[in-house]
């Protein structure tokens, strides 16, 4: 066997090995997806949207409480996280630029984006739940918005920097003050990108379970009071899936299916916006 | 004149407002560390170094040793990385060099979408499908260190595969083509051109995935068992820092117990903060600047 044959052989072996490992990985991933879809479709019923949580064994048991709770928690977190994140991102891109402070905030936000979410839960427990004396929806909102701020901040920063400096200069030349330039020119140019960032940020936060475990806790009944413990889809999935009751487990799969479809839909919408902008 | 004056005021106001938005991130990080440290002091001062070296965790006896949780975190993360890295690299090589163009986009996109699936779903799959499999294979409960590591590795796999592929994709085609023109085989190109070119990015992404794996809670809480014991048998139930926090935080009934849990949270935050910082400052800096 000469050197060339040997190299060809080695190459072929490695390519086969990496194809096999790719196959194994994809097999696992599609196993999970398949299990989720099959169980989800089997367990999902219209009743689940109508009824609140009920003890195991009850027929009239649903997820209304968790769906509403999830919407309130994620919605309020978005209302807090998005404005702060956009403002911070605007500062980094328009005022701080490449300064040392700007890059420091960028690095810290990057690190915060990957910080363990359960630690954020513990932090919020200390600063919100302990002073209040009990678990509450508002604590869950605070935890989720803390996770959201750095995500929105970084994408806003990146997206605003993509707006061409000549556009800004043109607006300055017309005598516009800086805040006008930012509001009417820079934001308008970066609209699609910032929107995508918001959508992906919401998708990321909507799947968080760990920071809610000891902030908004859980509640098996319908409630819209942010001062009280509040149900969420994610914590309900955890509680129902780890329960020994088959009917609760099945509701848990339905909840898992709904949550995943919601998050996948947000991700796909976000991608479509980017694609459309690229095509335009 | 008046108009200009008011716009100067508004200008200053907007600058301050957005400055505040940027400062909030710094304030949050500092207060997270300060608050965690503040609540940890009781346990750390009362238990001292014993907190880290003692294995026994018995809340009813007011004995809190974090060794099994810390070691558990390290072992489960290490095993998960060991399982995940070769497969992720395999997927990345497959997607960049082997797969036909018609497969690249659909497989690549579905892997990216799988990275968005919440970790609680991975945990649920682990509990209902993977744990029974382990029980059949190894006997025992099926719940334990090995199950947790596998579920964890499956969970970080899409993220790691996607970023490794992105890093490999940064290799300029002209470099690869030059190597092919010299008679290189695909593997020659991968190991002599693609990997050296993308090395910093690949390593950085892996450390980033490592940082995520250390702090991941839900994927492992389902399948680890929360037993404070270090065992040589990796199929035995075990615990890690996030698992302990998720299971016991709402049960803590004494201030020392609470403080011990906050100390665990602080340790976890420090570990993950330093891992991610290393990835960012040491490896990914070059990549970001280069792009």
């Amino acid at each position: 066997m000469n050197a060339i044959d040997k190299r060809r052989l080695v190459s072929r072996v490695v390519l086969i090995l990496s194809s096999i490992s790719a196959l194994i990985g994809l097999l696992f991933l599609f196993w999970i997806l398949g299990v989720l879809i099959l169980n989800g479709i089997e367990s999902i019923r219209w009743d689940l949207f109508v009824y609140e949580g009920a003890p195991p064994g009850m027929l009239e048991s649903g997820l209304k409480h968790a769906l509403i709770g999830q919407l309130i928690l994620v919605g309020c977190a978005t209302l807090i996280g998005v404005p702060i994140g956009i403002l911070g991102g605007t500062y980094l891109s328009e005022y701080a630029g490449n300064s040392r402070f700007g890059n420091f905030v960028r690095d810290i936000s990057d690190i915060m984006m990957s910080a363990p979410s359960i630690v954020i839960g513990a932090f919020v427990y200390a600063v919100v739940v302990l002073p209040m004396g009990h678990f509450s929806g508002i604590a869950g909102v605070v935890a989720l918005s803390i996770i959201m701020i750095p995500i929105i901040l970084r994408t806003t920063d990146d997206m605003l920097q993509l707006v061409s400096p000549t556009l800004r200069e043109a607006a300055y030349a017309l005598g516009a003050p800086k805040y006008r330039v930012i509001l009417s020119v820079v934001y308008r140019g970066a609209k699609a990108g910032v929107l995508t960032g918001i959508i992906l940020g919401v998708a990321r936060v909507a799947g968080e379970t760990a920071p809610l475990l000891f902030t908004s806790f859980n509640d098996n009944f319908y409630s819209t009071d942010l001062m009280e413990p509040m149900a969420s889809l994610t914590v309900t999935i955890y509680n129902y899936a780890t329960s020994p009751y088959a009917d609760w487990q099945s509701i848990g799969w339905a909840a898992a299916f709904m949550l995943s479809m919601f998050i996948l839909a947000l991700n796909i919408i976000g991608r479509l916006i980017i694609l459309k902008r690229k095509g335009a | 004149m008046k108009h200009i004056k008011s716009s100067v005021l508004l200008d200053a106001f907007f600058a301050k407002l957005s400055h505040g938005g940027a400062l909030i991130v710094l304030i949050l990080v500092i207060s997270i560390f300060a608050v965690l440290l503040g609540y940890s002091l009781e346990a750390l001062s009362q238990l001292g170094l014993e907190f880290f070296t003692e294995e026994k965790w018995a809340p009813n006896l007011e004995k809190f040793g974090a060794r099994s949780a810390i070691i558990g975190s390290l072992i489960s993360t290490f095993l998960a990385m060991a399982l995940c890295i070769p497969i992720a690299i395999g997927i990345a090589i497959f997607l960049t060099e082997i797969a036909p163009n018609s497969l690249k986009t659909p497989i690549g996109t579905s892997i990216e979408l799988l990275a968005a699936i919440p970790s609680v779903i991975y945990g649920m799959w682990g509990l209902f499908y993977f744990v029974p499999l382990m029980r059949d294979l190894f006997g025992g409960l099926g719940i334990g260190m090995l199950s947790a590591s596998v579920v964890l590795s499956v969970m970080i796999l899409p993220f790691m595969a996607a970023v490794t592929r992105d890093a490999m994709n940064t290799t300029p085609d002209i470099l690869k083509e030059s190597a092919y023109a010299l008679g290189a085989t695909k593997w020659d190109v991968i190991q002599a051109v693609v990997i050296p070119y993308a090395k910093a990015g690949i390593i950085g992404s892996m450390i980033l995935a490592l940082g995520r794996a250390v702090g991941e809670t839900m994927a492992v809480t389902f399948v680890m068992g929360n037993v404070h014991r270090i065992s040589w048998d990796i199929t035995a139930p075990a615990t890690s820092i996030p698992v302990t926090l998720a299971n016991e935080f709402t049960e803590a009934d004494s201030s020392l117990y609470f403080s011990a849990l906050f100390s665990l949270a602080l340790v976890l935050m420090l570990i993950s903060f330093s891992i991610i910082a290393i990835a960012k400052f040491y490896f990914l800096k070059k990549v970001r600047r280069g792009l």
Side-chain angles (χ1 to χ4, degrees), chain B residues 237-261:
Chain B
T239 195
S240 71
I241 300 177
V243 170
T244 307
L245 289 176
N247 279 297
E248 301 183 22
F249 212 90
T250 52
E251 290 171 5
D253 45 11
S254 72
S255 75
L256 186 65
Y257 195 173
F258 246 126
S259 182
L261 289 173

Side-chain angles (χ1 to χ4, degrees), chain A residues 7 35 39 116 125 179 271, chain B residues 10-11 112 129 183 188 258 272:
Chain A
R7 272 171 45 212
V35 158
N39 282 302
Y125 184 90
Y179 80 93
R271 267 153 208 283
Chain B
L10 269 173
D11 223 19
E112 283 168 24
Y129 291 87
D188 292 335
F258 246 126
S272 117

Side-chain angles (χ1 to χ4, degrees), chain B residues 20-39:
Chain B
L23 279 177
I24 282 184
V25 177
L26 296 186
I27 296 169
L28 278 175
V29 173
I30 295 169
S31 33
I32 286 175
F33 276 110
V35 166
L36 292 180
L37 185 65
Y39 279 92

